[in-house]
């Protein structure tokens, strides 16, 4: 096949798709991702690059540490040596440490086939082979004590990885090497997030993540299949430390946060075992009488099965007669493998009426639609209505029901997108409120007008307002299609939002539910009217933090009422011409109620229509619960010190209250010590979420997590979860935005990063000279993530609209580790250099061959290039001004041979029978499956033409931008702080920027370790 040279304008040849890909689609299994590893992680080396790469002669793309350690020679920096292997000689203390038990069929609870066992003291390096990422790594106590038999590594494909993931680094030789030039640092050799993600993605193509055997979870941005062995999957819970120090003093020396990031309703990948749902009848699930912990795999049975010993408080409980089963000589219940609550880390229990606050019913959805002037003029109203139709009916919304109805009057068969029992209602508002009766017996919807804004009520009553969306499909489709034209003659400019929220809260007060609200202008009418608070006179001063929170008592009261009624609120806000929306006040209702705010700073139709419709669809179709309460329990010796997220807590120690909770929401819990932990015992954590499902069932979802306890700081540092640490720091920093100045928060983040890296030097790498920058093996990319956090719109220096800061702040508080990882460091792929086989299914394994990502630096951008950039919130297609016309025609179709010919409102690629077009569409489809709640739609960023080019530059987080220094300069600054800390000369920053003193420190950091 002909190859494409981006430097020859007419060299791009249309490459026909392979014969096995006639539809240019992804024919592989949808749950299997990744591809053949490509050599190197930078752009292909070209002879005539428009942007020359510095130090090109010393660049080594083999992925090893050899080039780096050679570069470190004589400069005083080296890698963190792998800790020596110490066989575990301690007694196995888990209740079910005897694995030689008959296993249940895999179809029942997802357990492995009979005959496949792993011994508790086995050397996993021999079991998995030398290419395993944890080969030669010591097994922690908790890893030795998994309660369920673990299968041999499951291989979803036939292709074996070429190299292991997270190989322990080796001591660096003290000899010189290439790549060192006049004391400069080669950017190729500093830690690389794309390299970490790509190697992990390739590894987990062919390996399952066993939650007990392998106690260090995969990176958050990597898709994987988890095998629940009693310890919950990291998709539901991620501990910052999987090996916990025994004392508070030991933890303080590391400066690491001890916490857990929870995402209780996280979406599972296809191929994973569904969360078991168990019903114990009217008696409810067994619980500890003292601490109320739910039954879990780490509880033990004594006295022949008559006593149940709690793993949290060690209290011996009497086993209820209906739950009794004898134990074998080793103390294991004979029916253990038939009971998911004793073998699975994440389970759900049906609960009796004593757990009900009100009669559970199917989730009631209320769509509160802005029909004001801005919504109509900008096409926002029509786009929102299209999104609701897509969410409720998918591709069946345009079917002619009259032709499909049976002669006997039966309802036509339409695939349900929301469960049976769920109902919907529609209310519109501007200066008045409009309630719609969509009863299936009517010919068309009836509208009732409510002009009273001071004391609004529901004229139809809650029973008459809500209908089954499939029984009333024709009426609902007709209403939403006519709604834009119906109000096009009114065009009230000032919406009254708070009275509309009061009325909808009353409509849902008896049942609870979910409100989906659209808004396109600042609500300046009626009670609770808002005004322009951000006048650019508070930026950069101490009182700026007032703009990040609401001071309106009525809005605070409304948020509390929503939670008390079991109602969550999601907002879709479209700012008029980028104007002020007071997200701090409006979004307070969604934040407290457990909802989400979708913000479109400059909504433009038709460019943003597809994004809006997809996000409305995602909001309705994702797993959602309401009327939720959450409780966190932990072992003796630990206690909850703080929560970070979007929820309501009346006083510390009380349960967290959430009007709604969904699959994309996460929160963080911090722990402190109230005693000394016994290193002979494990530490246990249980999150219990009591909620009502969309189908109307009251359940408790229990997430159980275990960690080892150690007195060795070396062991503690070996089992750090980088993504969980970054998430906890980000959530805590976002919480402080309403209490401290942004400058103080930036300085605190800088000092925290230095403290953690210096703590590692003090506790785990004392053999290295003080002049070396030694990064912990599992925190090598931590510095880049913190730099990305400092460059985010929430914390960056300089001017930033308060709406953008507040929206980012609340996003950080509720973001999952996956969303946060992409947000802090985007993924970038060069389309113009894609190999012919990339982005198609591998003919042997069926896996999608995903190309390696580039580092987020302008130094990787080539003349004539085309790049896809995705940070989990937006996806940009950046096109160089000298891009090949042939490339443009292959991507966008005939006639599009220059940047000016492209439609600036483009939001998706056309479907063309060209090789490059199929590759790009497959890559976008893959990326859309590995992200959070935000829809993946394209936005063009043509060099010199589109304003989105500035957004593209902002996403290149390794460069000097966003009022912060580059990645290399940032490491220089951190190294200087670590050196001062080790020498006892460090003073905490109190007002100076994070970039101070870089020039004086440059000489001390000519040698960085990392990957």
């Amino acid at each position: 096949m002909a190859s494409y040279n981006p430097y020859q304008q007419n060299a791009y040849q249309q490459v026909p798709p392979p014969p096995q890909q006639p539809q240019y689609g992804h024919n592989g299994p949808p749950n299997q991702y990744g591809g053949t590893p490509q050599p190197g992680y930078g752009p292909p080396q070209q002879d005539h690059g428009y942007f020359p790469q510095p130090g090109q002669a010393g660049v080594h793309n083999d992925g090893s540490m050899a080039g780096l350690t050679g570069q470190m020679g004589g400069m005083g920096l080296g890698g963190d040596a792998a800790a020596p292997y110490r066989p575990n000689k301690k007694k196995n203390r888990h209740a079910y440490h005897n694995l030689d038990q008959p296993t249940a069929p895999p179809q029942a609870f997802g357990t492995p086939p009979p005959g496949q066992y792993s011994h508790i003291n086995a050397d996993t390096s021999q079991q998995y082979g030398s290419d395993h990422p944890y080969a030669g790594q010591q097994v922690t106590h908790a890893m030795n004590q998994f309660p369920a038999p673990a299968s041999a590594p499951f291989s979803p494909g036939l292709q074996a990885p070429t190299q292991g993931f997270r190989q322990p680094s080796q001591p660096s030789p003290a000899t010189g090497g290439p790549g060192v030039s006049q004391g400069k640092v080669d950017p190729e050799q500093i830690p690389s997030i794309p390299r970490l993600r790509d190697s992990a993605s390739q590894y987990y193509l062919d390996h399952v993540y066993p939650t007990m055997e392998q106690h260090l979870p995969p990176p958050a941005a990597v898709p994987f299949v988890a095998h629940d062995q009693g310890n919950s999957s990291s998709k539901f819970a991620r501990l910052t430390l999987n090996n916990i120090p025994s004392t508070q003093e030991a933890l303080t020396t590391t400066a690491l946060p001890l916490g857990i990031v929870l995402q209780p309703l996280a979406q599972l990948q296809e191929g994973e075992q569904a969360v078991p749902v168990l019903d114990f009848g009217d008696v409810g699930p067994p619980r500890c009488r003292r601490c109320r912990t739910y039954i879990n795999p780490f509880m033990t049975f004594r006295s022949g099965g008559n006593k149940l010993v709690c793993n949290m408080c060690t209290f011996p409980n009497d086993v209820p007669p209906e739950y009794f089963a004898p134990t074998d000589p080793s103390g294991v219940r004979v029916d253990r493998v038939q009971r998911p609550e004793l073998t699975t880390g994440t389970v759900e229990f049906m609960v009796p009426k004593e757990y009900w606050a009100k009669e559970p019913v199917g989730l009631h959805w209320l769509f509160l639609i802005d029909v004001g002037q801005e919504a109509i003029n900008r096409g926002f109203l029509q786009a929102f209505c299209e999104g609701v139709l897509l969410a409720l009916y998918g591709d069946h919304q345009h079917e002619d029901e009259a032709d499909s109805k049976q002669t006997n009057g039966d309802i036509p068969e339409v695939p349900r997108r929301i469960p049976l029992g769920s109902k919907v209602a529609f209310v519109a508002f501007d200066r008045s409120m409009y309630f719609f009766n969509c009863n299936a017996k009517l010919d068309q919807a009836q509208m009732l007008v409510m002009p009273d804004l001071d004391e609004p009520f529901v004229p139809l009553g809650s029973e008459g307002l809500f209908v089954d969306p499939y029984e009333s499909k024709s009426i609902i489709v007709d209403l939403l299609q006519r709604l834009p034209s119906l109000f096009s003659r009114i065009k009230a400019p000032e919406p009254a939002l708070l009275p509309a929220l009061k009325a909808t809260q009353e409509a849902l007060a008896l049942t609870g539910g979910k409100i989906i609200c659209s808004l396109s202008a600042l609500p300046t009418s009626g009670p609770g009217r808002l005004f322009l608070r951000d006048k650019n006179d508070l930026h950069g001063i101490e009182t700026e933090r007032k703009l990040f929170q609401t001071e309106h008592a009525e809005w605070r009261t409304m948020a509390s009422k929503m939670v008390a009624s079991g109602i969550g609120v999601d907002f879709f806000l479209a700012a008029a011409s980028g104007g002020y929306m007071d997200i701090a006040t409006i979004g307070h209702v969604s934040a407290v109620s457990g909802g989400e705010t979708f913000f479109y700073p400059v909504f433009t139709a038709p460019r943003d229509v597809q994004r809006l419709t997809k996000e409305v669809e995602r909001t309705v179709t994702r797993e959602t619960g309401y009327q939720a309460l959450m409780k966190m329990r932990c072992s003796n010796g630990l206690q909850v010190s703080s929560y970070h997220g979007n929820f309501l807590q009346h006083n510390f120690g009380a349960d967290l209250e959430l009007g709604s909770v969904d699959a994309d929401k996460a929160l963080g819990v911090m722990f402190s010590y109230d005693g000394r932990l016994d290193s002979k015992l494990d530490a246990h954590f249980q999150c219990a979420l009591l909620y009502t499902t969309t189908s109307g069932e009251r359940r408790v979802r229990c997430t159980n997590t275990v960690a080892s306890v150690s007195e060795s700081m070396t062991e503690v540092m070996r089992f750090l979860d980088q993504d969980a640490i970054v998430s906890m720091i980000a959530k805590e920093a976002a919480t402080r935005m309403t209490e401290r100045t942004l400058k103080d928060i930036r300085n605190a983040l800088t000092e925290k990063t230095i403290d953690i890296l210096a703590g590692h030097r003090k506790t785990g790498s004392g053999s290295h000279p003080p002049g070396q920058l030694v990064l912990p093996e599992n925190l090598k990319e931590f510095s880049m993530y913190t730099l990305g956090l400092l460059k985010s719109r929430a914390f960056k220096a300089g001017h930033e609209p308060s709406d953008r800061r507040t929206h980012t702040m609340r996003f950080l508080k509720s973001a999952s580790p996956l969303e946060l990882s992409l947000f802090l460091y985007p993924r970038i792929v060069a389309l113009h250099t894609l190999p012919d086989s990339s982005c198609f299914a591998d003919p042997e394994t069926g896996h999608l061959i995903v190309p390696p990502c580039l580092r987020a630096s302008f130094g990787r951008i080539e003349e004539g290039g085309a790049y896809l950039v995705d940070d989990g919130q937006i996806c940009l297609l950046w096109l160089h001004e000298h891009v090949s016309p042939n490339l443009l025609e292959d991507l966008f179709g005939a006639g599009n041979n220059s940047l000016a010919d492209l439609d600036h409102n483009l939001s998706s690629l056309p479907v063309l029978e060209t090789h490059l077009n199929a590759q790009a569409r497959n890559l976008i489809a893959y990326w859309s499956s590995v992200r959070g709640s935000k829809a993946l739609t394209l936005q063009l960023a043509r060099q010199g033409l589109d304003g989105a080019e500035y957004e593209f530059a902002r996403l290149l987080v390794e460069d000097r931008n966003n009022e912060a220094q580059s990645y290399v300069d940032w490491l220089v600054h951190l190294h200087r702080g670590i050196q001062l800390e080790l020498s006892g000369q460090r003073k905490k920053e109190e007002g100076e920027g994070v970039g101070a003193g870089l020039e004086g420190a440059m000489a001390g950091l000519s040698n960085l370790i990392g990957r």
Side-chain angles (χ1 to χ4, degrees), residues 85-86 88 90 92-93 120-121 124 137-146 211-216 231 242-244 682 706-710 715-716 718-719:
Y85 178 82
R86 299 185 181 94
N88 189 347
K90 295 184 179 180
N92 297 297
R93 295 175 298 277
I120 50 181
N121 291 324
T124 56
Q137 173 175 277
Q138 180 184 357
V139 180
T140 66
H141 308 151
M143 293 162 67
N144 272 350
Q145 300 165 2
F146 53 87
T211 61
M212 286 298 291
E213 290 178 62
Q214 183 178 307
H215 212 42
L216 192 61
N231 187 36
N242 292 285
N243 204 330
I244 299 176
D682 293 328
V706 63
S708 299
V709 178
S710 177
E715 295 303 311
V716 171
R718 293 187 63 192
F719 295 99

Side-chain angles (χ1 to χ4, degrees), residues 427-448:
V427 178
F429 72 98
D430 45 28
R431 288 182 177 177
S432 302
M433 283 172 283
Y434 310 91
F435 296 83
F436 296 95
N437 182 358
C438 297
N439 192 293
K441 298 179 181 179
L442 300 174
D443 294 329
Q444 65 178 15
Q446 295 178 346
M447 183 175 72
L448 289 84

Side-chain angles (χ1 to χ4, degrees), residues 316-602:
N317 298 269
D318 293 330
V319 175
E322 63 275 7
Y323 193 67
F324 173 79
T327 58
D328 62 17
S330 63
V332 179
R333 283 177 61 119
V334 296
D335 64 344
R336 181 177 69 89
V337 294
Q338 281 79 36
R339 290 198 170 272
E341 72 273 16
L342 299 181
T343 58
T344 309
T346 303
V347 295
E348 284 197 339
F349 300 109
M350 302 285 290
V351 293
K353 291 185 177 180
E354 62 188 82
Y355 291 80
W356 297 1
K358 57 185 70 174
E359 184 77 20
V361 296
L363 181 58
H364 284 45
W365 299 88
L366 195 152
F367 296 94
L368 184 59
I369 305 173
D370 178 11
V371 293
Q373 178 178 336
E374 287 291 341
I376 296 173
N377 292 345
R378 297 190 173 276
F380 185 67
L381 172 59
Q382 181 173 353
F384 186 79
C385 291
E386 291 177 1
V388 175
L389 289 173
L390 180 65
L392 293 178
Y393 308 113
D395 297 332
H396 299 270
Q397 57 182 288
H398 301 297
E399 291 181 353
D400 189 353
E401 283 195 67
D403 295 337
S404 59
K405 284 186 177 180
Q406 303 296 326
T407 55
N408 57 4
D410 292 340
I411 301 298
E413 291 292 334
V414 177
R416 299 189 67 98
R417 309 203 78 192
I418 60 176
L420 185 67
S422 295
K423 295 184 178 182
V424 298
F426 300 91
V427 178
F429 72 98
D430 45 28
R431 288 182 177 177
S432 302
M433 283 172 283
Y434 310 91
F435 296 83
F436 296 95
N437 182 358
C438 297
N439 192 293
K441 298 179 181 179
L442 300 174
D443 294 329
Q444 65 178 15
Q446 295 178 346
M447 183 175 72
L448 289 84
V449 182
M450 170 59 63
D452 188 358
L453 299 181
D454 294 322
E455 297 182 0
F457 63 93
V458 183
L460 292 172
S462 59
E463 290 298 325
L465 187 64
F466 290 92
V467 297
D468 186 292
Y470 298 96
E471 293 179 358
S472 304
K473 178 188 172 185
S474 60
I475 297 175
I476 293 175
V477 170
D478 177 69
L479 169 65
L480 294 178
Q481 289 177 344
R482 290 192 302 111
L483 206 58
S485 60
L486 184 64
F487 288 91
S488 61
R489 297 181 297 272
I490 301 176
K491 293 187 177 181
E494 299 174 343
L497 177 58
L498 187 61
L501 289 175
K502 288 182 178 179
T504 53
Q505 183 269 329
E506 292 181 4
L508 289 168
L510 296 178
T511 61
K514 192 70 179 279
I515 297 174
I516 310 296
C517 176
S518 67
L519 182 67
S520 59
L522 186 68
T524 56
S525 179
R529 63 179 62 89
L530 303 178
F531 58 92
L532 180 62
R533 291 197 297 156
D534 187 357
K535 301 178 181 179
N536 296 328
D537 57 345
L538 298 180
H539 293 275
I541 61 178
E542 185 175 354
T543 53
E544 183 180 8
R545 62 175 179 265
K546 293 182 179 179
L547 298 175
F548 309 145
Q549 55 188 324
T550 180
E551 298 178 347
H552 207 299
E554 289 184 87
W555 285 86
R556 290 183 177 273
T557 301
M558 174 52 55
S560 299
K561 286 184 177 180
M562 290 288 186
V563 178
S565 302
I567 305 170
V569 184
D570 285 352
F571 284 110
F572 290 82
L573 306 181
S577 304
Y580 179 66
M581 292 290 290
D582 199 355
I583 290 181
T585 298
I586 297 174
H588 176 76
V589 177
S590 63
V592 171
S593 66
E596 185 171 2
T597 299
F598 295 84
F599 183 43
Y600 309 89
V602 185

Side-chain angles (χ1 to χ4, degrees), residues 192-204:
S192 169
I193 292 178
R195 184 177 296 123
L196 167 68
R197 290 175 179 171
D198 290 342
S199 59
S201 296
Q202 183 61 32
Y203 177 83
Y204 284 104

